Amino acid sequence: MLNLVLFGPPGAGKGTQSEKLLEKYGLVHLSTGDILRGEMKAGTELGVKAKSLIEAGNLVPDEVVIGMIDNKISENLDGKGFIFDGFPRTQAQAEALDKLLVAKGTGVSVMLSLEVEEEELVKRLLERGKISGRADDANEDTIKNRISVYNQETSVLVDFYSAQGKHVGIQGVGEIDEIFEKLTKAIDAVHVG
Ligand code: ADP
């Protein structure tokens, strides 16, 4: 299987690049943010619980997102692989993902980390907020909190995957197609076929 962790701070372009990657490689897209927003929209118990955390720009508890991902992996094991978008976001989630994949006889192929500096992220997210209707994109304080949560809890995963020799840093500023090309080069370097 080809299992990609598409990594980077909020607003780095993970969603945009995921769409292009899953089309090229025929992968299943697992975005914990999309799944959680779906639960919120449907008004499920999980969605109701997650709403206030998400709207404040905080993380949803590890066990909740790990459970969601576990289910989705099990449902799609007959596919070519996965793009993990917005997951893992903590050390505990990364460890859990390794365990889940190993139990299925597979593993993370590569972690692609989109690098964009903070000023640009805030600009992009405020722009997106005008059309996305996402409460967590609507104001600068929430956006800054998301970036600070990323810096405190998520960015350490660069070290986690570097230690496994799986981290590739990709400059996330420039034309969408240009960034896509850099991603595909990195993927094709670890994956044949
Ligand atoms: P972005 O990458 O733009 O921040 P996402 O759509 O990935 O947006 O996530 C939106 C929100 O959903 C996050 O701020 C967080 O509250 C919650 N969330 C998404 N993925 C996770 C995760 N893996 N662990 C905990 N919370 C998550």
Side-chain angles (χ1 to χ4, degrees):
M1 288 184 116
L2 175 63
N3 297 315
L4 309 175
V5 171
L6 193 55
F7 190 78
K14 300 185 294 289
T16 306
Q17 295 295 338
S18 287
E19 294 301 322
K20 295 173 72 72
L21 289 169
L22 64 97
E23 196 179 311
K24 179 170 164 88
Y25 294 99
L27 303 171
V28 173
H29 184 203
L30 294 187
S31 159
T32 39
D34 285 352
I35 301 170
L36 288 165
R37 279 186 291 276
E39 299 278 340
M40 276 161 59
K41 217 171 156 196
T44 64
E45 196 184 331
L46 196 164
V48 171
K49 276 193 195 146
K51 190 173 192 296
S52 55
L53 290 167
I54 291 177
E55 292 188 348
N58 293 319
L59 295 182
V60 171
D62 286 334
E63 59 275 17
V64 173
V65 286
I66 291 167
M68 281 172 9
I69 286 286
D70 188 1
N71 290 337
K72 295 282 177 188
I73 291 176
S74 302
E75 285 165 19
N76 292 285
L77 279 173
D78 48 351
K80 292 183 182 169
F82 299 94
I83 298 184
F84 297 98
D85 164 2
F87 181 92
R89 254 178 160 95
T90 63
Q91 178 96 12
Q93 291 178 23
E95 286 167 5
L97 179 63
D98 275 355
K99 269 198 199 141
L100 288 173
L101 292 176
V102 167
K104 315 283 185 201
T106 183
V108 170
S109 310
V110 63
M111 182 253 218
L112 303 155
S113 174
L114 290 170
E115 295 165 355
V116 179
E117 57 181 60
E118 180 161 339
E119 207 183 79
E120 171 72 13
L121 296 173
V122 175
K123 210 174 86 188
R124 287 184 186 182
L125 291 170
L126 283 171
E127 256 334 284
R128 182 169 82 183
K130 290 182 193 162
I131 47 168
S132 70
R134 278 177 56 170
D136 58 347
D137 287 343
N139 80 73
E140 196 158 339
D141 286 344
T142 313
I143 290 172
K144 291 229 160 116
N145 185 45
R146 284 158 64 199
I147 295 172
S148 115
V149 168
Y150 172 84
N151 289 332
Q152 282 166 31
E153 302 199 44
T154 309
S155 60
V156 292
L157 297 185
V158 167
D159 297 334
F160 181 89
Y161 287 103
S162 292
Q164 298 186 5
K166 290 181 179 170
H167 162 259
V168 180
I170 306 270
Q171 161 75 262
V173 182
E175 294 293 326
I176 289 173
D177 285 339
E178 223 177 280
I179 299 165
F180 179 65
E181 201 170 308
K182 287 186 217 160
L183 290 168
T184 59
K185 276 199 183 130
I187 294 164
D188 295 341
V190 296
H191 175 75
V192 185

